[in-house]
Structures are given as structure tokens and as C-alpha cells.
Amino acid sequence: MPFSALGLSPALLAALRERAYTSPTPIQAAAIPAVLQGRDVLGSAQTGSGKTLAFALPLLQQLAQAPAATPRRARALVLVPTRELAAQVGEEFRHLAQQLGAPLRVTVAFGGVSINPQLMGLRGGTDIVVATPGRLLDLIDHNGLTLAGVQVLVLDEADRLLDLGFAEELARIRALLPARRQNLFFSATFPPAVQALAQTLLQDPLRIDVLPAAQDQPDIVQRVITVDAGRRTQLLRQLIAQHGWRRVLVFVATKHAAEIVADKLRKAGLQAEPFHGELSQGKRTQVLADFKAERLSVVVATDVAARGLDIAELPVVVNYDLPRSPSDYTHRIGRTGRAGASGLAVSLVSAGTEAHFRLIEKRQGLQLPREQVPGFEPVDSAPAAAPGTGGVKGKRPSKKDKLRAAAARQP
Ligand code: ADP
Ligand code: MG
């Protein structure tokens, strides 16, 4: 099916030709006509399958065709869970709006950077706001923005935005939105509980579940290597050297682990940097830009990098620590194998995390062979750490563990 069969305007079709996109992905083919008709959509499709354009194209078309409100105020709100994703999705909207030649203003707002330029940018109004929830509320509190004119609400990575971590902010935002609006929720994963919640927020939604045909499956080879927790960094170094991996995204469980593992890799001569929520936004932006430009070969990240980020030609993702949930596993490994490319996802499993990984496999409907690397055969048998925590030093008790043990000794 060509893009032209979806009801998109000639200007958007020209923009797509310029990008040399020959045909819509399945989620785009299903969602674009529905969004243009004004329907609510709950759209689920695998990582890297073009969900951004599935909502961005029809949204831009709707707004370009309707005259801006006077005074100009936001007509579309796109919420995303992380700053880097706000920048990426906002960039996509800006670029397309420019190609469209439509006088649409796109505002990108996220925390960690000064709010003043964002407030200045909102003077004179805006049409589309792409934001993280916290900063959006800050802008509203500063009278920089009103949501009273929003006609379309998009939740990208909707299951993440609807989970507990964002509950308070989302409730505040919802209270400020007009009750009558179009709602578009997208993600690669919708756990049952979130699905039930999403259904209560949507009106007669079109449910799109792109069950990937074999040829559309993200082409991600998943491998599992068993290794003692304390030897993972060394193994990682060996794997990088042995396979000549030029770019690797390594996931760990904590900010602290990100720092330590990146530091060890750097000391071993690799261009490695940590990426987590406690770094300055300037540093976060720099690390991601350096990684995309291949100035860095390894980024050691927490789950703040697990959602939505589109890094072209990222061949390898490593789960140094296992993700907490099966959904997180899907999103983490989905940073590779995007837009039809192939990728490799390697999970390091130790005695202490084997049971947790089995649970992930079960929920994913997977059963992966356990591999060993010569020289790194595991010898630990007792569980070394609670699942998902994966202490960097293996069995060394953390400060928290010591405090807990001390508290337990109190009468
Ligand atoms: P998702 O949100 O589903 O994880 P993205 O929207 O980030 O995926 O898109 C992944 C990549 O695929 C992006 O680099 C995007 O530019 C590209 N892409 C999107 N639509 C198409 C298409 N129709 N044809 C080819 N590439 C596409
Ligand atoms: Mg996405």
C-alpha cells in the first residue's frame, strides 16, 4: 500500500518522498486514516516500527488544514516520558511542519534546562506542544501556556505515562484538558492493567494491535550469557574486543552502576560514558549526541534510555543488569533492530538473576539457550543479589543492606 492511499495531503506525501520512505509501516497504515477521521486510537506495535509518524503525520495534517485559534493556543499536546524523547519527537514535528510549509508552531518543553527560553518561546502562542509532564505543568504554573484549547492528546510510550510514576502529574494535566478531545495512545507494550486504565480514558477507541508478520518482526537476535556477577565488566570488555562492536548500549539497574561500569570501561581504554537521570541535562544531551555521532563507543545507561530513543545503526544492546519487567526488556532491546535493520541483544545472567530472567522469558514466550564464554564460566551457585539489583561488586553488601541488617539487630 502506498502512502497516497491513506488520505494524506500532497505536501506531506512530498515530504515523505524526500525521505525516501516508500510505504507506510503497518501501524502507520492502520492509524493514519483513523486519526484523520478524528477517532481515538490505542495503538500497539513493536519497537522501531514508525509509531511516531503514525500520529505525527495525521496530526500535522489536521492542524495545517484548520485555521489557528485566536489568540493562538496549543491545539495538540504530545506527552512523552523522557527529556531526550521529547527532543526527538519534537524535532520530528518541527521538521515535518517546516517541510509542509505550514505556519505551525511547535514547542518542545522538558526539564533540566532553564524554563525562561521555553516561556519566551511560548509568547505569541503555539500550535503543538511536545513535552514531559513535569515541565509542562511548570510552564502552566508560570502562565506560559493553557491547555484549554487542546483538541488532540497524544501519549507516546503511553503505558509508561499511565503507570504509577506519572500518576499525579497526569491527573493534574487531565484536569486541565477539555473533556471533549481526541486521544491517541501508543506503545510497544500495554500490560493488562494499563490497558484497562487506558480504556477508561479513551472514547470508543480503535484498538490497533499490529501483530508483526514474520517479515516485520524486529530483527533482533537475543542471546543469553551466564557469568558470575562479579566478572561481568571483564566479560563485557572481552565481548566488545572479540566481536569488534563499534557501538554498544549497556543497560544497568542504577545510576551508581552506570558510573562505575562506565568508569571501568574507560580505564580499560574504551570511549565510554554513563547516562542517567542524575547527570546535568547538558551532559545527557552531549553523551547522546556523541553516541549518535560515533564519538563514543559505549554508553552505560539506566532505563531512562530504554524508551523511544531512535539511534540509527545501533547494532548491540547489552543487559548488564536485567530489567525489572518484561515490558522494560522489550523496550531496552528495542533500541536496536529498528526500521528494518538487524540487531543483537545480549543479556548477562548470573546465579542470582537466573530465576528473574526465566520469568521474563516466560512472559515473552521465549526460551533462550544459556551460553558461556570460555574463561568466564560461572562458578557461583548461591544467589548473589536480589533480581534486578545486580550489585556491581557482586556479593558486597550495599550501604542500604548494612543499615537494614543493623536495624534488624535492634531489639
Ligand atoms: P517506534 O516509535 O515505533 O519505536 P519510530 O517512530 O521511532 O519507531 O521510527 C523508527 C525509525 O523508522 C525512525 O528512524 C523513522 O524515521 C523510521 N521510519 C518511520 N516510518 C518509516 C517508513 N514508513 N519507512 C521507512 N522508515 C520509517
Ligand atoms: Mg516511539
Side-chain angles (χ1 to χ4, degrees):
M1 180 199 288
F3 272 112
S4 57
L6 302 179
L8 292 170
S9 68
L12 278 176
L13 293 176
L16 290 164
R17 267 199 305 278
E18 209 170 291
R19 294 185 175 204
Y21 291 174
T22 46
S23 54
T25 63
I27 186 77
Q28 291 165 359
I32 290 170
V35 178
L36 288 174
Q37 281 164 25
R39 287 199 65 171
D40 278 12
V41 171
L42 180 61
S44 163
Q46 66 273 24
T47 51
S49 67
K51 291 187 288 296
T52 317
L53 290 184
F55 58 79
L57 293 171
L59 219 156
L60 282 160
Q61 173 151 328
Q62 280 173 321
L63 296 185
Q65 280 169 358
T70 40
R72 196 185 274 257
R73 53 186 195 175
R75 290 181 283 160
L77 173 62
V78 182
L79 289 177
V80 299
T82 68
R83 298 166 182 175
E84 287 74 19
L85 191 54
Q88 178 184 306
V89 172
E91 194 50 46
E92 187 84 285
F93 270 96
R94 276 203 178 130
H95 189 213
L96 283 165
Q98 224 166 40
Q99 282 179 300
L100 258 181
L104 289 173
R105 291 195 195 149
V106 181
T107 300
V108 180
F110 52 82
V113 296
S114 167
I115 197 169
N116 292 323
Q118 291 172 4
L119 284 167
M120 298 274 276
L122 282 165
R123 285 193 193 161
T126 186
D127 297 288
I128 301 168
V129 177
V130 181
T132 51
R135 180 50 62 94
L136 179 81
L137 287 166
D138 284 348
L139 289 168
I140 293 167
D141 290 342
H142 282 80
N143 296 319
L145 185 67
T146 168
L147 300 184
V150 170
Q151 298 156 8
V152 188
L153 169 69
V154 180
L155 300 187
D156 189 19
E157 306 294 342
D159 58 326
R160 178 78 187 90
L161 288 167
L162 292 172
D163 81 17
L164 219 54
F166 285 104
E168 231 171 89
E169 287 166 338
L170 257 280
R172 272 194 67 198
I173 292 168
R174 275 172 49 210
L176 297 169
L177 289 165
R180 256 185 62 116
R181 57 170 196 267
Q182 187 178 9
N183 299 287
L184 311 173
F185 294 1
F186 285 89
S187 184
T189 52
F190 278 107
V194 179
Q195 236 178 87
L197 172 60
Q199 295 284 1
T200 66
L201 303 174
L202 296 161
Q203 285 196 347
D204 182 30
L206 177 67
R207 175 80 225 242
I208 305 170
D209 235 323
V210 176
L211 285 178
Q215 74 272 11
D216 296 326
Q217 288 265 12
D219 188 4
I220 305 170
V221 175
Q222 300 174 58
R223 294 175 60 178
V224 185
I225 300 177
T226 53
V227 58
D228 287 336
R231 300 201 64 206
R232 287 174 296 172
T233 308
Q234 230 180 322
L235 172 62
L236 181 60
R237 277 172 53 191
Q238 153 130 355
L239 289 171
I240 291 171
Q242 181 185 336
H243 300 286
W245 291 339
R246 284 184 8 263
R247 249 188 331 170
V248 195
L249 179 58
V250 178
F251 281 103
V252 292
T254 65
K255 296 159 191 166
H256 181 63
E259 291 287 341
I260 298 218
V261 174
D263 198 50
K264 281 191 184 158
L265 294 176
R266 227 178 6 245
K267 284 187 179 133
L270 287 158
Q271 292 156 304
E273 288 287 344
F275 184 89
H276 56 75
E278 230 150 75
L279 298 171
S280 71
Q281 191 50 41
K283 174 79 178 176
R284 277 168 66 163
T285 305
Q286 187 64 47
V287 167
L288 195 59
D290 285 346
F291 195 44
K292 286 184 174 176
E294 300 193 36
R295 288 186 292 266
L296 281 176
S297 49
V298 189
V299 167
V300 187
T302 59
D303 279 304
V304 75
R307 292 269 184 168
L309 297 185
D310 189 46
I311 301 162
E313 288 164 53
L314 173 65
V316 189
V317 169
V318 174
N319 286 317
Y320 181 106
D321 290 326
L322 293 181
R324 273 183 304 269
S325 71
S327 297
D328 291 342
Y329 181 81
T330 299
H331 291 281
R332 279 182 176 191
I333 72 168
R335 295 317 98 214
T336 184
R338 299 176 70 73
S342 60
L344 170 66
V346 178
S347 297
L348 305 184
V349 173
S350 311
T353 58
E354 171 64 33
H356 183 59
F357 193 75
R358 255 185 256 138
L359 197 79
I360 292 175
E361 281 181 303
K362 196 171 155 206
R363 297 265 202 87
Q364 299 271 342
L366 276 174
Q367 226 177 338
L368 300 167
R370 304 296 189 261
E371 301 173 36
Q372 295 189 356
V373 173
F376 290 90
E377 293 87 352
V379 292
D380 288 354
S381 53
T389 56
V392 177
K393 283 257 165 86
K395 289 176 200 159
R396 192 180 54 129
S398 70
K399 217 187 220 168
K400 249 191 202 155
D401 291 337
K402 285 180 192 157
L403 284 173
R404 266 193 221 110
R409 282 195 298 271
Q410 303 277 323

